[in-house]
Amino acid sequence: MRILMVGDVVGKAGRQLLVDVLQSLRIAENIDFVIVNGENAAAGVGITPDLADQFLAHGADVVTLGNHAWNRREVYNYLENQTRILRPANYPPGVPGHGFHTFCCLGTPLSVIVLQGRVFMEPIDDPFRKVDELLDTLIQKSPLVFVDFHGEATSEKQAFGYYVDGRVTGVFGTHTHVQTADERVLPGGTAYITDVGMTGPVQSVIGMKYESVIPRFLTGLPSRFDVADGAAQLCAVVVEVRAADGKAITIKRLQISQHAADALLHQEETRQ
């Protein structure tokens, strides 16, 4: 079984690239299940129901969110009613939506969990203890469990990876928008990467126009960040797993430029 995890989609440029290339990428990489982090899809902050539906219609099997899950109030009811979009599971009881769900992939149950880190982030419930609570139930359904760990601190993500090594199939770090080069299969068989990276505009500061970001560093004063435009890049990882025991076999990083995406689309059109 082959799983694709796409890093944080940012703004119009990221959305367009994802929608354009995802189906072709599924075919080229022989993908069976796709997880897309849509945390920053709506003008760089949050997501709307229409955008989530668009991602699902163009090849995503589940859309994950993070600390910006609540920035668009129109998504609250959607989160309650749609199990294919997930917010962090370690928010306190009473918040809208679902933090995990078990899907069906090639006739096999497959669970996805979203957790949010606490280091340099808003104070919420402990993701380490929350995953223990969830795994008690989910592993009884299937050994195939994937975690989108939405966090700021590299150390927290790495610690979490080792904490669940051998108990989940993959841990995919999101939130920092810069792809890390530490993809590996941990000793217990868990695929891990500290950050999958960003699907969004290349000439930017983590997706924002650098002209709007630099003044804050120069002056320390609040300033509005505007989403960048221009050519985009898709960042992702592909994980090959054994469905029988939920162990990862390989993990591979992807960085697909606009040019590479155009070539992939051309290749698919030629094949058809």
Side-chain angles (χ1 to χ4, degrees):
M1 188 179 293
R2 289 172 65 82
I3 312 299
L4 176 72
M5 172 72 196
V6 179
D8 307 41
V9 179
V10 180
K12 183 177 181 180
R15 298 194 311 260
Q16 192 61 58
L17 179 58
L18 178 75
V19 167
D20 286 348
V21 80
L22 185 53
Q23 292 285 13
S24 297
L25 184 59
R26 285 192 72 136
I27 294 170
E29 291 288 342
N30 194 27
I31 299 299
D32 300 303
F33 193 86
V34 175
I35 306 167
V36 173
N37 186 290
E39 164 76 355
N40 303 105
V45 182
I47 197 168
T48 65
D50 286 347
L51 292 179
D53 285 340
Q54 185 182 45
F55 293 170
L56 295 172
H58 283 83
D61 292 292
V62 58
V63 177
T64 57
L65 304 174
N67 60 303
H68 291 308
W70 325 112
N71 283 73
R72 307 281 171 168
R73 290 199 63 86
E74 64 265 37
V75 83
Y76 282 27
N77 287 337
Y78 184 87
L79 289 173
E80 280 291 326
N81 299 317
Q82 172 60 273
T83 55
R84 293 176 69 193
I85 181 168
L86 302 175
R87 48 78 173 169
N90 55 319
Y91 271 84
V95 302
H98 310 273
F100 62 95
H101 191 70
T102 301
F103 304 89
C104 183
C105 178
L106 302 179
T108 301
L110 178 157
S111 297
V112 178
I113 304 171
V114 185
L115 293 166
Q116 185 173 309
R118 298 193 295 178
V119 180
F120 308 127
M121 304 282 283
E122 296 92 341
I124 56 174
D125 295 345
D126 183 354
F128 289 76
R129 289 183 172 83
K130 186 64 178 180
V131 79
D132 287 340
E133 172 192 325
L134 295 177
L135 290 179
D136 283 345
T137 301
L138 293 179
I139 289 180
Q140 295 178 21
K141 299 180 180 181
S142 169
L144 290 168
V145 180
F146 296 89
V147 180
D148 177 342
F149 194 95
H150 198 76
E152 185 76 30
T154 296
S155 57
E156 185 181 25
K157 292 178 181 179
Q158 290 185 339
F160 182 85
Y162 283 110
Y163 184 69
V164 296
D165 183 26
R167 297 192 288 157
V168 307
T169 310
V171 174
F172 309 126
T174 59
H175 180 66
T176 66
H177 293 196
V178 177
Q179 190 179 72
T180 54
D182 63 339
E183 75 282 2
R184 59 192 183 274
V185 177
L186 299 176
T190 295
Y192 173 85
I193 187 169
T194 297
D195 205 282
V196 179
M198 176 187 76
T199 298
V202 176
Q203 299 300 330
S204 70
V205 176
I206 60 172
M208 302 296 116
K209 290 182 178 178
Y210 55 82
E211 302 93 336
S212 68
V213 174
I214 291 172
R216 179 176 292 190
F217 289 101
L218 292 174
T219 66
L221 298 176
S223 59
R224 174 184 171 131
F225 292 164
D226 298 317
V227 181
D229 46 24
Q233 175 177 265
L234 182 146
C235 290
V237 291
V238 176
V239 178
E240 186 176 359
V241 307
R242 288 196 302 263
D245 61 4
K247 302 299 184 184
I249 302 169
T250 61
I251 178 171
K252 176 178 70 172
R253 277 186 297 130
L254 296 178
Q255 287 187 357
I256 299 178
S257 66
Q258 194 78 56
H259 177 74
D262 292 341
L264 189 62
L265 290 170
H266 177 71
Q267 178 182 346
E268 178 62 17
E269 290 170 357
T270 302
R271 187 187 67 81
Q272 293 176 349

